[in-house]
Amino acid sequence: MKKRFRCEVDCANCAAKIEDAIRGIDGVQDVTLNFIAQKLTIVADDDRFDEVLKAAVAKARKIEPDATIFVE
């Protein structure tokens, strides 16, 4: 499953760190965090997507406490 989310990240360096951290989550097949567009794209297993998304939000907040991923 591939989903896109609007996100707010303050700097390109943090965006790269968050992208690398999310890529390391078990079940993630691909991830792209576009700092300029403020868009996060995650490709992960359908049956584990909610779990992966929760872990991605936690990793993003650990790296940059002000980071926000808008999950609708």
Side-chain angles (χ1 to χ4, degrees), residues 11-63:
C11 71
N13 187 41
C14 291
K17 288 179 182 179
I18 291 169
E19 185 178 294
D20 287 342
I22 293 173
R23 187 170 283 115
I25 297 171
D26 188 38
V28 172
Q29 298 165 358
D30 192 27
V31 62
T32 305
L33 200 163
N34 185 317
F35 170 69
I36 300 298
Q38 297 285 295
K39 297 285 182 187
L40 171 66
T41 304
I42 299 175
V43 179
D45 301 332
D46 289 352
D47 57 336
R48 296 186 56 212
F49 198 88
D50 291 337
E51 176 187 336
V52 167
L53 182 58
K54 190 179 223 181
V57 169
K59 289 212 180 243
R61 289 264 171 91
K62 186 174 182 180
I63 292 167

